[in-house]
Amino acid sequence: MPVCYTPSTVDDLFPVPGVRLGAVAARIKNWQRNDVLVIECAAGATAAAVFTQNRFCAAPVLVDREHLAWQQQHGKSLRAVVVNAGNANAGTGASGLDDARRTCRETAALLGCAPEEVMVCSTGVIMEPLPIEKLLAGLPEALRRCREENAEESGASAEAWLTAAQAIMTTDTVHKAASAQAMIDGVPITVTGIAKGAGMIHPNMATMLGFIATDMPIAASVWQSLLREITDVSFNAVTVDGDTSTNDTLIGIATGQANVSPLKQSDDPRLSVFKEALREVAVHLAQAIARDGEGATKFITIQVEGGRNVEECRQVALKVAHSPLVKTAFFASDPNLGRIVCAIGNAAPPELDVSRVQLWLDDVVVIVNGGRASSYTEEAGQRVMNQPEITVRIDLGLGGNAVATVWTCDLSHDYVSINADYRS
C-alpha cells in the first residue's frame, strides 16, 4: 500500500534529489522581492509538460513546446527551468520570442548544456516588453544560490522550495507548495511541487504556473502521459473566473535519482502507487489556487454525479462554478439556490429529466425529484452558506456512474478592485 501524505505545514517539504533552486530579486516589476527563479536539474532528468490551449499563447510557451519536443525526440535531459514573475512576455511578437530564446541560450552557456535543455516560464502583465537585461543579469546569482544554498546530495531544502514558491507569485496572497511520499520497492519516492495562480484561472489547462519534481526514474512517454492524466483531475478542475491565460504551464521533472528500477510501461503495477503520490500533490496545489482566488472569501467544491460520462458531469460542474450569479450568492452567503438550478439547466444535455435531479448543500438536501425538498428550510441553507468551505453535490439522474469535481471560489468586490488596479 502507498504511504502518501502531505506535510502538516508547507514548512515541512521533502527534498527531491537532483533538483536545486535559486531565486533572486531582478526587479522585473520593481518589486522589493525575489522575482526570478532558476530550477537546476541534474543530468539525466526527464521532462514532461502541459501547456495552455489559449491560441494567443506567450513566447515562453512556444519555446518550451519546441524544447520539450527536442528533448523527447533526442532523448535529452532537462537541465534548467528559468521563471520570472512580473511580466508575462505574452503579446510581445518576435522580440518576445527572441527574449525567451536568449534566456535559454544564456542559461545554457552558464550550465554548459544545449539551449534546448533549458525551459523558460513567465507570468505577469501581458503585452509589456520583457526587461530582458534585468532577467539575464540575475541568472549568475540565481545559479550561485542553487549551488551554495542546496545540499548537493539531497536536493533543495524545504526553505529553498518555499523561497521558490514565493518568487513566482504575482497577485497570489500566499505561496503554494506541497509534498508527498510513496514506498516503491521498499524505497521512499518523493514528489514535491510549487505553483502560482489566483486570477485568470480556468481549466484547459488551469491558468497557472506549476513545477512538480520527483526522484522516480520514469520513461519520458509514460511521464508525459501520466502528467496529462493527473492534470485533468487537478489543475483542469480549478476555475476562478473563467479566463484561460496565455502562459499556463505545468512542468514535471523526474530526476531518476531514486534507487529503484524505472517505470517504463503504463501497465507497471507500481505506477498506481506513484500516481497516487503525484495526484495528491497536484490536487493540493490546485485547491490552493482556488482557495487563493483573487478576492476570494470562500472555497467551493462542485461535485456532479449520475451522468453517463465524465465530460457530461464536468460541463454541468463548470457551468455552476463559472456563473457570476452563483458566485456572488456565495459571497453574500445568500441561499438563493435557484441560481444553481438555472446553471444546471443551462449546461445539462437535452436528455436531462429534471424530475430525477437532486441537489445537496453539504449535508442539506435541497432538491429531490426536480423540486424543493420538503425537509429543506431557509435556515438550513443559510447555515451552510455562512461557512468558509461549501460542497455542492448534484445528481443528474441520467443513469450513469460518472462523477466530476470542480473547485472554485466566490466572486467578491475585491476581485474587481484587484484587477482594476493590476497594472498600478
Side-chain angles (χ1 to χ4, degrees), residues 5-7 9-14 16 161-162 165 175-181 190-195 211-213 277-286 288:
Y5 58 94
T6 51
T9 71
V10 292
D11 297 311
D12 184 23
L13 296 166
F14 307 125
V16 178
W161 278 102
L162 290 172
H175 52 265
K176 302 166 180 71
S179 284
Q181 286 187 324
T190 299
V191 180
T192 295
I194 59 175
F211 309 96
I212 299 178
L278 181 64
R279 187 201 66 81
E280 184 164 328
V281 169
V283 167
H284 183 102
L285 293 173

Side-chain angles (χ1 to χ4, degrees), residues 73-345:
Q73 180 181 355
H74 295 89
K76 296 294 186 177
S77 301
L78 173 66
R79 295 301 312 281
V81 182
V82 179
V83 191
N84 77 268
N87 184 295
N89 194 11
T92 48
S95 64
L97 277 170
D98 288 343
D99 289 340
R101 292 192 170 108
R102 185 178 172 192
T103 301
C104 293
R105 289 197 305 270
E106 296 282 348
T107 305
L110 292 168
L111 291 174
C113 67
E116 292 84 359
E117 293 179 286
V118 178
M119 298 173 76
V120 61
C121 297
S122 298
T123 180
V125 179
I126 296 170
M127 290 188 66
E128 292 288 340
L130 179 68
I132 184 65
E133 300 303 333
K134 291 182 178 181
L135 192 161
L136 298 179
L139 290 178
E141 176 63 13
L143 281 168
R144 186 194 67 79
R145 294 184 182 183
C146 279
R147 291 157 186 192
E148 293 189 3
E149 298 180 12
N150 299 271
E152 181 77 31
E153 68 281 357
S154 61
S157 65
E159 182 179 355
W161 278 102
L162 290 172
T163 299
Q166 291 163 344
I168 64 176
M169 292 167 55
T170 51
T171 59
D172 308 62
T173 63
V174 295
H175 52 265
K176 302 166 180 71
S179 284
Q181 286 187 324
M183 296 299 294
I184 295 180
D185 296 341
V187 176
I189 301 298
T190 299
V191 180
T192 295
I194 59 175
K196 65 82 52 184
M200 206 183 282
I201 302 290
H202 177 58
N204 197 19
M205 38 102 46
T207 307
M208 47 149 279
L209 296 181
F211 309 96
I212 299 178
T214 180
D215 55 350
M216 184 71 203
I218 184 167
S221 60
V222 177
W223 187 213
Q224 182 66 46
S225 176
L226 182 58
L227 194 71
R228 287 187 180 278
E229 180 182 343
I230 292 299
T231 299
D232 282 341
V233 296
S234 56
F235 298 110
N236 273 352
V238 175
T239 182
V240 169
D241 48 23
D243 277 319
T244 299
S245 176
T246 54
N247 291 61
D248 303 345
T249 301
L250 172 65
I251 295 177
I253 303 165
T255 67
Q257 302 272 311
N259 188 25
V260 295
S261 58
L263 294 170
K264 294 183 177 180
Q265 304 293 333
S266 59
D267 60 353
D268 190 317
R270 301 172 302 158
L271 188 63
S272 62
V273 180
F274 176 63
K275 183 190 297 186
E276 178 58 24
L278 181 64
R279 187 201 66 81
E280 184 164 328
V281 169
V283 167
H284 183 102
L285 293 173
Q287 290 184 350
I289 289 171
R291 293 178 191 277
D292 193 31
E294 289 172 342
T297 68
K298 296 183 180 179
F299 175 73
I300 302 156
T301 299
I302 312 291
Q303 179 178 311
V304 178
E305 57 193 56
R308 294 164 297 184
N309 55 68
V310 171
E311 187 58 26
E312 199 166 60
C313 296
R314 176 180 165 82
Q315 290 305 312
V316 174
L318 286 173
K319 189 67 175 180
V320 174
H322 289 165
S323 168
L325 291 177
V326 171
K327 292 164 79 70
T328 51
F330 279 116
F331 171 64
S333 300
D334 178 14
N336 187 357
L337 304 178
R339 293 179 171 183
I340 298 178
V341 171
C342 181
I344 295 170

